[in-house]
Amino acid sequence: MTEQSIRVAALYRFAPVADPGALRAWLETLCGDRVRGTLLVAHEGVNGTIAGPVNAVDRVIQGLRARPGFADLEVKYSHAATPPFHRLKVRVKPEIVTMGQPGIDPVLDAGTYVAAEDWNALIADPDTVVIDTRNAYEADVGAFVGAVQPNTRTFRDFPDWFAREGRALLDRPVPPRVAMYCTGGIRCEKATAWLKAQGVADVHHLQGGILRYLETVPESESLWQGECFVFDERVAVGHGLERGTHSLCRGCRMPVSETGRASPRFMEGVCCDRCHDSRTAEQRTGALERDRQVRLAADRGQAHIGTRQAPADRS
């Protein structure tokens, strides 16, 4: 495939799914052998990222949008120079983004959507508290100016952080509005529904997430700093959704910056500063051999079976 022919679609929709197993089987058939990526299916909806030829990806999106409840499927398109996924995985999960809080219904109770072009004005207002709902390693790659960072390990930790620290941020004579964001919109949408269930009324979230913002807002007007971590082999993207400068550590599967790659503790295909001390000599030897085989396969134009992908779950 050429760069122009590889379409990447990050998608999600909160909508009732009566039989997730049946939807999983339908999606596997619809994707066929030309679309790769990861899709999560649950009673609450669908979430994931897929990539492939333009016509094949469009067929999947059109098929999903034709299903009851999915007409407003949220999709962010970009392109890739090489296939960002090596295989297709469609999995049934209890939640399409794991928060672990029963009774939350983003279909009925989500906060107010804010379009990308209106986001700057909202978060620049001193009466707005901006909260990043992503995890710590993602925020290290890039974030909005002035955003509060919960530094969570997983999205499941967000409710505990809010109870422990977040609610105090709203303790003012006149409660501030809350503006939350995430990569594609799914986590902040669910988080707004949870905050509303906790009695926080004035809650907003970035429609389409950071990806829509980077696609829509000119870099000269942007309040975004750094790059945006994505859950595929591109690792991170910048304005215009162009591939960024981060790579993926094959030891811990975390993003590594240019500065991180300059560290003497970084070994391509083996480890980085994060995981250097936890890798045994045997693990390093095996990783070096795997990396050698991956490179040989790439030279032949093949995807090596040992290639590890970026984390696929946005939890």
Side-chain angles (χ1 to χ4, degrees):
M1 302 178 196
T2 65
E3 180 172 329
Q4 285 72 27
S5 70
I6 302 175
R7 170 164 285 182
V8 182
L11 61 95
Y12 82 90
R13 175 66 179 169
F14 287 106
V17 176
D19 188 343
L23 181 55
R24 176 192 59 78
W26 179 83
L27 282 168
E28 287 180 333
T29 300
L30 186 62
C31 290
D33 58 4
R34 304 186 71 203
V35 175
R36 300 169 184 173
T38 298
L39 292 170
L40 306 180
V41 182
H43 285 291
E44 66 180 5
V46 173
N47 171 33
T49 303
I50 56 174
V54 172
N55 61 347
V57 170
D58 286 350
R59 183 180 68 248
V60 175
I61 299 303
Q62 292 165 8
L64 265 171
R65 283 180 167 160
R67 296 181 69 92
F70 286 90
D72 294 326
L73 181 75
E74 179 70 42
V75 184
K76 276 78 62 184
Y77 292 111
S78 57
H79 63 265
T82 58
F85 297 102
H86 304 298
R87 58 187 66 85
L88 174 69
K89 298 178 183 177
V90 186
R91 296 170 173 168
V92 174
K93 295 277 189 174
E95 301 175 72
I96 57 173
V97 58
T98 305
M99 193 179 216
Q101 299 293 315
I104 302 301
D105 188 353
V107 176
L108 299 176
D109 300 323
T112 303
Y113 289 108
V114 181
E117 53 267 30
D118 299 324
W119 183 250
N120 282 357
L122 175 65
I123 68 172
D125 189 325
D127 291 327
T128 300
V129 173
V130 185
I131 301 175
D132 192 336
T133 63
R134 301 171 305 151
N135 301 320
Y137 68 88
E138 297 171 81
D140 287 344
V141 175
F144 280 108
V145 175
V148 174
Q149 298 300 337
N151 293 317
T152 51
R153 190 179 63 84
T154 72
F155 186 52
R156 185 186 287 271
D157 297 332
F158 183 84
D160 287 341
W161 169 82
F162 184 79
R164 188 176 63 251
E165 301 178 37
R167 188 176 287 279
L169 298 172
L170 313 183
D171 187 14
R172 305 181 186 178
V174 178
R177 68 180 63 86
V178 176
M180 296 196 286
Y181 68 90
C182 62
T183 307
I186 184 170
R187 283 177 285 187
C188 54
E189 184 166 341
K190 195 164 193 177
T192 61
W194 186 81
L195 253 67
K196 289 179 70 176
Q198 307 308 303
V200 182
D202 198 1
V203 187
H204 305 254
H205 56 111
L206 177 57
Q207 187 170 18
I210 302 161
L211 296 180
R212 179 65 51 76
Y213 182 91
L214 293 177
E215 181 182 36
T216 304
V217 177
E219 187 170 3
S220 60
E221 302 173 11
S222 176
L223 296 180
W224 177 261
Q225 293 181 327
E227 297 173 352
C228 178
F229 179 81
V230 291
F231 295 80
D232 59 57
E233 288 292 323
R234 294 173 299 168
V235 185
V237 297
H239 285 86
L241 302 185
E242 295 296 327
R243 186 167 185 163
T245 59
H246 285 73
S247 61
L248 195 70
C249 172
R250 300 298 170 178
C252 61
R253 300 173 71 191
M254 291 289 104
V256 184
S257 67
E258 291 177 307
T259 300
R261 292 194 296 274
S263 168
R265 292 158 60 88
F266 174 75
M267 297 176 65
E268 182 67 45
V270 179
C271 60
C272 66
D273 275 336
R274 280 190 181 93
C275 64
H276 179 277
D277 293 340
S278 65
R279 304 286 280 171
T280 66
E282 183 179 0
Q283 287 174 322
R284 292 181 187 180
T285 300
L288 282 169
E289 176 59 22
R290 185 190 66 238
D291 186 62
R292 188 180 75 86
Q293 294 296 331
V294 168
R295 291 175 185 276
L296 289 173
D299 290 342
R300 297 192 299 268
Q302 300 172 337
H304 187 260
I305 191 170
T307 302
R308 294 184 182 179
Q309 292 177 258
D313 192 337
R314 292 189 177 88
S315 300

